[in-house]
Amino acid sequence: MAPVAPKSLFPLPLTAFEQFMLVDESTEFPMLFYLQVRLRGVVDQAIMKLAVDTALSRHPLLCSRVEVHSGKDCWVWAGEEIPDTDWNHAKWSAEEPWRKPIDLRKTVGLRAWGEQTEDLATITLQFHHACCDGIGAAGFLEDIAVAYARHFATQNGHNESLPELRPVDLELLKHRNSREGRRIADIRGSIIRRTRVLLKYTARYLQQEKVPLLTRPFNSSDQQQGLGLMTMQLNRQETRGLRDAAKRHSASLNDLLVSELMVTSQAWNTQHGQRERKPFSWKQPTICVLVPTSLRGPSDMELPACNVVSYAFMARPTSLATKRLELLCSIRDEMQLVHKHQAGWLFVQAIEAMNKIPGMLRFIMWRTQGRCMSTTVLSHMGNLLNTIRSRLPRRGSDIQMGNLLVEHICGIAPIRQGTAAAVSTMMLNGCLSISMRCCPKRFSQQEATELLNAFANTLKQTAHQENLMAATSDDSAQVPEPGKTNGHI
């Protein structure tokens, strides 16, 4: 059954961050992200269509496009424009949908294509980031999996144990940008103190020069093929070593991953000869990792797919990227402050302030479109499969989805013009899975593979050292206590 427009929801004004997603893209660098699922078995395409339609009926922003109403950009229902999953591999591989932007003023922000072999299927979901974030996309994917299992069981007479879809409340979409029920960043004190804090961090941002990843020229024979989404998985022992290394320093796994990506980026640029600094430049070269941060609160458990995310910019001097312990501790302290004060709201508030001046946001984005906003992007998705596992049975280590087994899931954030590589990580059956996508205009296939291997090897080295330390001694290194290094918020 095709999804229908929900009553009294549309037109729905865009939030400031959704506006930013539209402005911060170009034809060559669309604001698109991906989830890719590998399934063991043969997909019943009729049942899959029913499952996708069921999921879409619960996530109306994925069935919407953007129109102007009363002078404001608003979401409007466009369910009749939802494209079916394209199972014609020859057709979509020739059309290369990953190279084409999605114009939300003409169509919805979701595409899907699949490839079926004798006993293996791969489905790729492409989302416009204005429609939803990674958490919203994961909820949509969960609904597809559960709905497929339900429809398959019903058609095969197994109605006694249908898996349950989680509850959603479409009315919550009206409050997706509300501060109510969510902690927000708040600079306390007098007007003098608040002004001083803002000036301090504005000055720090202005004196930083975000260093991009360096690459070498390459010829057409080594161009990246297809979507260019690469994955690699650490084993359980290596993953445990990383967790222990983070714990030893009172840090989270995400803190360690950010730190290790900075180390990898700086080593990569050193290997590629470093970029020459402009003469008389007063800006400090920094390695910067953009970290998406969710702004959801306890009241958002039934929120449909949408964008309730912001950015934290983890920037450090290039000289600090060689001091791994000091680097990790500084990242740990800053991330603790980000979580404590929900500092991601500061970025949203800055966008809202620019939106109050007509044309200001577009002017700022135009002025900065060629600049490097961050060296890389890192999105740690944690145990993405946990919610799906809680609703579907398991066969060994895999999830049973009707007649199919869910073998692997990966995802990747958009690539911005000045940010040539995006990385995402998630936990799969106790192992850390790493995904990477590099800008095809700057990275050859060989260099893209080398960068993924370099990051994985950095992580493996840390895990090996931690496991070796645990095996030889119970003595821990002397490290600064949380909060004792200079926090950067």
Side-chain angles (χ1 to χ4, degrees):
M1 183 176 177
V4 296
K7 296 180 180 179
S8 70
L9 182 62
F10 299 110
L12 185 66
L14 270 67
T15 66
F17 197 81
E18 290 166 353
Q19 288 277 10
F20 173 71
M21 292 290 98
L22 291 180
V23 175
D24 188 32
E25 71 171 352
S26 63
T27 302
E28 293 186 344
F29 296 92
M31 194 55 64
L32 306 175
F33 73 96
Y34 300 85
L35 283 181
Q36 195 170 78
V37 188
R38 189 172 70 232
L39 303 168
R40 177 67 59 182
V42 177
V43 174
D44 187 317
Q45 294 182 19
I47 292 180
M48 182 59 76
K49 177 171 173 51
L50 288 174
V52 172
D53 286 346
T54 299
L56 284 170
S57 68
R58 295 158 52 82
H59 303 281
L61 289 193
L62 297 177
C63 311
S64 306
R65 56 184 174 83
V66 177
E67 280 186 2
V68 177
H69 282 260
S70 301
K72 293 182 179 180
D73 281 337
C74 295
W75 295 109
V76 297
W77 180 256
E80 68 284 353
E81 299 171 11
I82 300 170
D84 290 333
T85 302
D86 189 350
W87 288 97
N88 188 333
H89 176 259
K91 176 175 174 287
W92 61 252
S93 60
E95 292 177 349
E96 299 185 323
W98 50 86
R99 299 189 190 277
K100 298 179 180 180
I102 293 178
D103 187 350
L104 283 178
R105 299 189 185 276
K106 297 180 180 179
T107 187
V108 300
L110 174 67
R111 291 183 187 137
W113 57 89
E115 179 181 8
Q116 178 73 65
T117 61
E118 184 177 350
D119 64 345
L120 192 68
T122 302
I123 300 176
T124 303
L125 300 174
Q126 181 190 61
F127 301 86
H128 196 291
H129 213 335
C131 299
C132 73
D133 52 28
I135 294 175
F140 175 66
L141 180 61
E142 175 193 330
D143 285 352
I144 293 176
V146 174
Y148 184 94
R150 287 176 62 87
H151 288 299
F152 182 85
T154 299
Q155 292 195 12
N156 289 274
H158 305 305
N159 297 337
E160 64 279 359
S161 58
L162 292 178
E164 293 295 326
L165 290 159
R166 64 187 178 92
V168 293
D169 183 354
L170 304 189
E171 285 294 307
L172 291 177
L173 288 172
K174 297 178 180 179
H175 310 289
R176 67 197 185 283
N177 195 44
S178 173
R179 270 64 165 168
E180 186 175 348
R182 299 172 178 143
R183 292 183 297 109
I184 66 171
D186 183 22
I187 302 174
R188 302 182 184 276
S190 66
I191 184 65
I192 296 177
R193 181 184 183 277
R194 294 199 300 271
T195 302
R196 181 165 54 83
V197 171
L198 288 173
L199 287 174
K200 171 186 174 183
Y201 292 107
T202 300
R204 191 188 73 167
Y205 178 82
L206 291 175
Q207 74 177 10
Q208 292 175 345
E209 178 189 4
K210 311 300 191 302
V211 177
L213 290 170
L214 301 180
T215 55
R216 300 186 179 96
F218 59 93
N219 55 47
S220 58
S221 63
D222 196 26
Q223 287 182 336
Q224 296 183 53
Q225 302 300 313
L227 176 59
L229 178 55
M230 308 174 293
T231 63
M232 178 179 291
Q233 189 164 292
L234 305 188
N235 61 37
R236 286 179 177 268
Q237 184 179 14
E238 292 164 342
T239 303
R240 191 181 307 113
L242 290 178
R243 287 183 175 277
D244 291 343
K247 184 178 179 181
R248 178 184 292 273
H249 301 99
S250 303
S252 69
L253 178 59
N254 186 58
D255 299 338
L256 180 62
L257 293 173
V258 172
S259 176
E260 298 288 78
L261 186 54
M262 285 187 176
V263 170
T264 303
S265 299
Q266 177 59 17
W268 175 271
N269 278 355
T270 299
Q271 178 186 347
H272 283 68
Q274 293 283 8
R275 190 175 65 164
E276 292 185 7
R277 292 193 65 184
K278 297 178 181 178
F280 310 111
S281 174
W282 56 274
K283 292 190 175 183
Q284 181 183 52
T286 59
I287 296 291
C288 180
V289 177
L290 186 154
V291 182
T293 59
S294 176
L295 303 180
R296 287 169 172 78
S299 61
D300 294 316
M301 295 298 292
E302 298 181 6
L303 183 67
C306 60
N307 205 321
V308 191
V309 75
S310 185
Y311 292 155
F313 295 89
M314 296 291 138
R316 294 295 182 272
T318 53
S319 58
L320 188 60
T322 60
K323 304 172 183 177
R324 299 176 74 164
L325 178 56
E326 186 179 346
L327 176 65
L328 173 59
C329 292
S330 73
I331 294 295
R332 172 200 67 195
D333 290 349
E334 181 168 354
M335 288 302 294
Q336 286 179 354
L337 289 172
V338 167
H339 295 313
K340 178 180 178 181
H341 299 292
Q342 278 293 291
W345 281 105
L346 293 174
F347 186 71
V348 174
Q349 290 165 344
I351 298 172
E352 290 174 340
M354 285 188 284
N355 273 340
K356 292 179 180 179
I357 305 174
M360 177 58 72
L361 179 59
R362 288 189 177 277
F363 174 75
I364 294 295
M365 300 310 300
W366 173 74
R367 287 284 297 169
T368 61
Q369 64 180 351
R371 298 181 187 176
C372 177
M373 187 167 71
S374 67
T375 310
T376 55
V377 177
L378 175 66
S379 179
H380 181 53
M381 305 179 75
N383 291 290
L384 176 66
L385 290 180
N386 277 2
T387 56
I388 302 179
R389 283 197 182 100
S390 67
R391 300 186 182 278
L392 294 175
R394 296 181 65 175
R395 185 192 297 178
S397 60
D398 295 326
I399 299 170
Q400 182 82 44
M401 179 180 143
N403 63 321
L404 305 170
L405 293 177
V406 181
E407 287 195 341
H408 190 264
I409 296 178
C410 61
I412 203 68
I415 297 174
R416 194 177 182 272
Q417 181 169 346
T419 305
V423 180
S424 71
T425 55
M426 67 177 68
M427 297 300 299
L428 297 174
N429 298 319
C431 299
L432 183 72
S433 177
I434 309 165
S435 300
M436 181 179 290
R437 186 168 179 248
C438 297
C439 175
K441 295 182 179 297
R442 292 187 51 195
F443 275 83
S444 66
Q445 181 60 62
Q446 179 181 343
E447 282 202 313
T449 303
E450 288 175 356
L451 181 61
L452 175 61
N453 289 334
F455 183 45
N457 289 337
T458 301
L459 296 176
K460 290 179 181 181
Q461 180 186 28
T462 297
H464 175 73
Q465 290 175 346
E466 181 63 28
N467 290 332
L468 186 63
M469 185 181 300
T472 57
S473 173
D474 291 331
D475 296 332
S476 61
Q478 295 295 318
V479 300
E481 293 295 326
K484 294 301 184 181
T485 59
N486 292 325
H488 286 71
I489 292 295

